[in-house]
Amino acid sequence: QKEVEQDPGPLSVPEGAIVSLNCTYSNSAFQYFMWYRQYSRKGPELLMYTYSSGNKEDGRFTAQVDKSSKYISLFIRDSQPSDSATYLCAMSLTSGTYKYIFGTGTRLKVLA
Amino acid sequence: EAGVTQFPSHSVIEKGQTVTLRCDPISGHDNLYWYRRVMGKEIKFLLHFVKESKQDESGMPNNRFLAERTGGTYSTLKVQPAELEDSGVYFCASSQDMGLGTQYFGPGTRLLVL
């Protein structure tokens, strides 16, 4: 069993839709949860990160962590064609590590 | 400010050949990391440099992989001899410190071993 599971998609939605991207994980010791966005032929770039359970909002993006269910989500409101990319979740045990455990990524396509 | 750059962007080689990948980090970033993504799998950590020193190479798959960072600037990752299972995308990242999410990733080198 993988430590982090992520539906690869692709996920196609119309412009303006609310998008929900999810990851499940098996290691209950994970404390830090990150979402990366990767455009085609580019490297991953950090969107946002959260610590432990709860919600965090940044503009149109909301990250949600449910540690009891070992489930994290990224919501994108008012999705735009420019949001079309692969979204990767990543997790770590501590804040000072670079050994993130990545999900395989979900491809998202927002149709104009 | 220039981002992390990697060269080449693509490489196609035959099994048994040698390939050298290069990474130029963001100027002033002491920390440099190599990651790899095999097709259909997740991105996995390979190793970490602080300046010219290898701090952690626990993710290196085997001794066919050799990473160097002479002078603490750019880094190279050599695969010799390359095997079919080495195909994938090799990412380099750099950071000024080791805080959460502080790494900047390069665009990656796509390696195909035939």
Side-chain angles (χ1 to χ4, degrees):
Chain A
Q1 183 191 6
K2 288 182 184 176
E3 280 193 278
V4 178
E5 298 277 359
Q6 187 174 9
D7 189 330
L11 178 63
S12 293
V13 300
E15 183 176 358
I18 296 175
V19 176
S20 172
L21 303 165
N22 312 294
C23 288
T24 58
Y25 62 95
S26 56
N27 188 347
S28 57
F30 285 135
Q31 296 282 356
Y32 296 87
F33 305 91
M34 292 153 280
W35 285 97
Y36 283 83
R37 178 176 62 196
Q38 184 179 10
Y39 290 114
S40 181
R41 304 302 187 201
K42 301 285 187 182
E45 56 175 336
L46 181 70
L47 268 178
M48 51 199 306
Y49 68 86
T50 55
Y51 168 68
S52 197
S53 285
N55 291 0
K56 184 174 182 178
E57 193 173 314
D58 184 359
R60 296 185 296 110
F61 298 89
T62 299
Q64 191 173 77
V65 175
D66 182 349
K67 290 195 73 181
S68 63
S69 301
K70 299 197 191 91
Y71 189 88
I72 68 170
S73 300
L74 177 71
F75 298 98
I76 307 174
R77 289 184 300 281
D78 187 25
S79 57
Q80 304 294 310
S82 58
D83 295 326
S84 298
T86 295
Y87 290 80
L88 303 141
C89 63
M91 310 181 184
S92 72
L93 300 174
T94 66
S95 62
T97 183
Y98 41 80
K99 289 185 179 177
Y100 307 146
I101 307 300
F102 284 89
T104 51
T106 299
R107 283 181 54 201
L108 171 67
K109 190 164 187 178
V110 181
L111 305 170
Chain B
E1 178 185 86
V4 176
T5 58
Q6 293 187 244
F7 183 84
S9 59
H10 294 80
S11 181
V12 181
I13 62 173
E14 292 189 353
K15 176 182 170 179
Q17 289 185 322
T18 298
V19 62
T20 300
L21 314 179
R22 173 170 169 147
C23 168
D24 285 76
I26 292 172
S27 177
H29 282 191
D30 288 339
N31 295 281
L32 187 148
Y33 316 82
W34 283 98
Y35 294 84
R36 177 174 75 168
R37 179 173 185 158
V38 172
M39 185 172 291
K41 301 281 185 79
E42 67 275 19
I43 295 173
K44 285 197 171 180
F45 164 81
L46 295 179
L47 88 161
H48 169 221
F49 282 100
V50 176
K51 297 186 180 179
E52 67 275 9
S53 300
K54 290 177 190 174
Q55 290 295 111
D56 183 350
E57 49 185 332
S58 61
M60 295 286 262
N62 51 61
N63 59 10
R64 294 185 294 102
F65 289 75
L66 175 63
E68 295 180 322
R69 192 182 182 195
T70 307
T73 54
Y74 71 90
S75 174
T76 58
L77 180 65
K78 182 190 286 188
V79 185
Q80 179 182 30
E83 297 289 343
L84 300 179
E85 63 265 24
D86 300 332
S87 297
V89 183
Y90 289 77
F91 291 104
C92 173
S94 72
S95 69
Q96 203 159 37
D97 56 43
M98 287 174 53
L100 194 68
T102 56
Q103 300 173 19
Y104 293 86
F105 282 81
T109 292
R110 280 147 189 81
L111 174 65
L112 179 60
V113 182
L114 300 175

